[in-house]
């Protein structure tokens, strides 16, 4: 049965699909319509990224929009934001920088939780864009972080698994309640 994009909603942890590895998708009318709906849901929720498992689909697809900010470095070789939203099908990070950075991340499927996650600063990603063209793109800063966070979702990985020891400690009550929900 074809998916009705209008019926898609953001799923909350601990729903099982968030822990399921996504499958590669074909780019067609249906998957494009889903991507469009995901952009809408991301905007409504005021998020900067949304992955297909977060709308209940085990697909390798995510959308992202880290808007350009006045503090962004001017004429930077590697972008940390984008003018427009981005859609990526079957994405894969093919290069990670050695330098890592910590930053407080949140997730639309984990309400109220934020905590430091350390990640490589700069990445090179291969994917198919909205039109199905292969792209190879580099990003740094918040956009690189967003891509990594969303691709983690496609592998069933969540910030719960990657937060620093300190962040876990700070959020222990909330994490415990999430884990209990996952069991129950
Ligand atoms: Ni997330």
């Amino acid at each position: 049965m074809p998916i009705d994009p209008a019926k898609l909603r953001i799923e909350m942890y601990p729903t099982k699909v968030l822990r399921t590895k996504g499958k590669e998708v074909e780019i067609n009318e249906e998957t494009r319509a889903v991507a469009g709906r995901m952009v809408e849901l991301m905007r409504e929720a005021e998020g900067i990224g949304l992955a297909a498992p977060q709308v209940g689909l085990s697909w390798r697809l995510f959308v992202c929009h880290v808007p350009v900010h006045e503090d962004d470095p001017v004429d930077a070789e590697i972008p940390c934001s984008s003018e427009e939203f981005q859609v990526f099908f079957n994405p894969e990070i093919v290069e990670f920088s050695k330098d890592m950075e910590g930053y407080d991340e949140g997730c639309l499927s984990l309400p109220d939780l934020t905590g430091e996650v350390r990640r490589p600063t700069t990445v090179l990603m291969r994917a198919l864009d909205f039109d199905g063209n292969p792209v190879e793109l580099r990003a740094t800063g918040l956009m690189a972080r967003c891509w990594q966070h969303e691709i983690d979702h496609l592998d069933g990985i969540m910030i719960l698994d990657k937060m620093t020891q300190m962040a876990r400690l700070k959020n222990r009550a909330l994490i415990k309640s999430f884990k209990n929900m996952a069991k129950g």
Side-chain angles (χ1 to χ4, degrees), residues 25-28 31-32 87-90 127-135:
V25 282
E26 262 181 50
I27 298 162
N28 54 37
T31 52
R32 281 201 186 109
V87 173
F88 296 114
F89 295 94
N90 306 332
L128 299 171
D129 68 11
F130 192 75
D131 299 312
N133 299 315
V135 290

Side-chain angles (χ1 to χ4, degrees), residues 11 18 20 30 34 42 60 77 92-93 107-108 111 129 147 159:
E11 303 276 345
L18 287 169
T20 308
E30 184 183 43
V34 166
M42 171 179 75
R60 302 193 78 77
E77 219 170 284
E92 184 189 6
I93 306 275
C107 180
L108 293 175
D129 68 11
W147 290 358
I159 54 171

Side-chain angles (χ1 to χ4, degrees), residues 80-145:
C80 61
S81 59
S82 68
E83 296 279 353
E84 293 290 329
F85 67 83
Q86 302 174 313
V87 173
F88 296 114
F89 295 94
N90 306 332
E92 184 189 6
I93 306 275
V94 291
E95 258 178 57
F96 295 91
S97 64
K98 281 200 189 75
D99 55 315
M100 310 265 289
E101 205 170 33
Y103 187 84
D104 271 3
E105 289 186 21
C107 180
L108 293 175
S109 297
L110 288 165
D112 303 324
L113 183 72
T114 58
E116 190 185 7
V117 178
R118 292 183 58 76
R119 297 188 190 272
T121 322
T122 304
V123 296
L124 177 66
M125 176 175 68
R126 269 186 213 141
L128 299 171
D129 68 11
F130 192 75
D131 299 312
N133 299 315
V135 290
E136 194 172 87
L137 298 168
R138 237 176 256 280
T140 190
L142 193 53
M143 192 156 75
R145 179 171 295 276

Side-chain angles (χ1 to χ4, degrees), residues 4 16 27 34 36 38 42 48 56 58 63-64 66-67 71-72 75 96 104 110 122 142 147 152 165 168:
D4 178 0
K16 208 176 157 195
I27 298 162
V34 166
M38 284 169 60
M42 171 179 75
I48 59 168
S58 285
V63 300
C64 159
V66 178
D71 294 339
D72 289 352
D75 294 332
F96 295 91
D104 271 3
L110 288 165
T122 304
L142 193 53
W147 290 358
D152 275 351
Q165 227 25 59
R168 264 173 236 274

Side-chain angles (χ1 to χ4, degrees), residues 54 106-109 149-150 153:
Q54 292 182 278
C107 180
L108 293 175
S109 297
H149 176 120
E150 302 313 330
H153 274 302

Side-chain angles (χ1 to χ4, degrees), residues 166-181:
M166 280 300 285
R168 264 173 236 274
L169 210 58
K170 192 186 79 186
N171 288 293
R172 61 186 180 278
L174 195 55
I175 292 170
K176 205 174 162 195
S177 73
F178 282 130
K179 295 233 155 110
N180 285 339
M181 281 195 281

